[in-house]
Amino acid sequence: MAFAAVLLFNYWAAYQPLSTLAYSGILLALFGLANLAIPFGFLRIRKRAVGALLLVGGVGLTIAALIWPASMILVAQHRTVLDDVMPEFQFSERHSARIHARPEQVMQAVRQSTFGDMKSLLTLLKIRGASLRTPSNATSALSPDKLILDAFSVSGYVSVSGYVSGGSEHELVMCGGANVRAKHPLAVRTFEECRDYREPSAIKVAFNFNVEEAGGGWSTISTETRVVATDDSTRTGMSRYWRLIVPGSGLLRRQWLDGIKKKAENMPNPPS
């Protein structure tokens, strides 16, 4: 079961050990709970005490993985716009894909991507709302035809593209977040304000799409998301949240890239 969890994490998201350990612990605890009720004789488990031991071990592993402190990661050398906007962070994930289209077409497809590309979004939002015991009011506003980047802009994210510190000309970055205690988006208007934001109780998020020409009419697109919490208590809560949402977050990003790929590859080639 733990090996299957590792495979799923490597497929959906960049491999993150603590998230894998947390879900492996959850699976182990459920397996122990089942054996506590009815020992699995076909696995040569004869005593309920074994189930109790597995349950305790699974719960302990999950708690340890969720409360493990997150360290700060510093970018040693700035190569992208994202490195300038978010040079230090605690959580991140990265995904990439190859697309048979020109970089200009891929960037156009990025800007045209809609919530309809994220086929699992509404389901995951409902699961999150149920687990947090809060109604998900966002689902009604997520029309399949609504542009994803426009939705981020409306929610207070600022965007920057092009060269900042040697970054690719085919890179788009968005930066924003929220103040957890005040429950409102960050009041930032430029990427410099977002980069320098240090108010406590905030979670700052930046993500990019970076497209590079791969030759032969192919392009490579990568997207990376970085998150930083501005104080210790917020970081503790964000650590638990991040490690639990990694599978769903990775799935949505893969679907987002798949939608971009389809759009870009269906665009007519510009005249030579």
Side-chain angles (χ1 to χ4, degrees), residues 89-102:
F89 52 94
Q90 295 135 358
F91 313 97
S92 69
E93 64 174 306
R94 187 178 186 276
H95 306 269
S96 62
R98 280 175 56 86
I99 300 178
H100 194 207
R102 298 174 183 270

Side-chain angles (χ1 to χ4, degrees), residues 246-265:
V246 161
S249 175
L251 175 61
L252 291 178
R253 279 158 178 77
R254 289 183 63 88
Q255 292 177 346
W256 196 349
L257 287 178
D258 288 342
I260 292 170
K261 177 181 174 70
K262 292 177 182 177
K263 285 181 172 63
E265 292 183 343

Side-chain angles (χ1 to χ4, degrees), residues 148-169:
I148 299 175
L149 299 184
D150 284 355
F152 275 101
S153 296
V154 170
S155 64
Y157 279 68
V158 294
S159 63
V160 59
S161 58
Y163 291 100
V164 175
S165 179
S168 167
E169 61 179 329

Side-chain angles (χ1 to χ4, degrees), residues 34-195:
N35 279 274
L36 187 60
I38 303 176
F40 289 0
F42 63 93
L43 293 178
R44 296 187 178 182
I45 298 176
R46 308 296 182 187
K47 299 180 179 179
R48 287 184 169 84
V50 175
L53 183 62
L54 293 174
L55 174 60
V56 172
V59 171
L61 180 61
T62 301
I63 293 175
L66 293 179
I67 67 174
W68 193 271
S71 58
M72 187 71 76
I73 301 171
L74 302 178
V75 176
Q77 183 177 358
H78 292 207
R79 296 186 176 89
T80 65
V81 178
L82 182 63
D83 291 337
D84 289 328
V85 176
M86 187 81 77
E88 53 184 38
F89 52 94
Q90 295 135 358
F91 313 97
S92 69
E93 64 174 306
R94 187 178 186 276
H95 306 269
S96 62
R98 280 175 56 86
I99 300 178
H100 194 207
R102 298 174 183 270
E104 297 80 9
Q105 293 173 306
V106 178
M107 287 303 300
Q108 183 179 348
V110 169
R111 294 184 173 90
Q112 293 177 353
S113 56
T114 66
F115 285 113
D117 296 324
M118 296 181 175
K119 299 177 177 60
S120 303
L121 178 60
L122 293 180
T123 300
L124 292 174
L125 285 177
K126 290 177 181 178
I127 293 174
R128 186 185 70 171
S131 62
L132 297 176
R133 296 181 180 179
T134 57
S136 181
N137 299 323
T139 56
S140 59
L142 300 181
S143 167
D145 298 326
K146 188 170 185 177
L147 298 177
I148 299 175
L149 299 184
D150 284 355
F152 275 101
S153 296
V154 170
S155 64
Y157 279 68
V158 294
S159 63
V160 59
S161 58
Y163 291 100
V164 175
S165 179
S168 167
E169 61 179 329
H170 297 119
E171 182 183 8
L172 182 145
V173 181
M174 300 201 79
C175 183
N179 188 295
V180 178
R181 183 175 300 172
K183 297 182 179 180
H184 63 68
L186 302 186
V188 295
R189 293 167 295 180
T190 66
F191 97 90
E192 288 88 358
E193 290 183 2
C194 194
R195 178 194 61 198

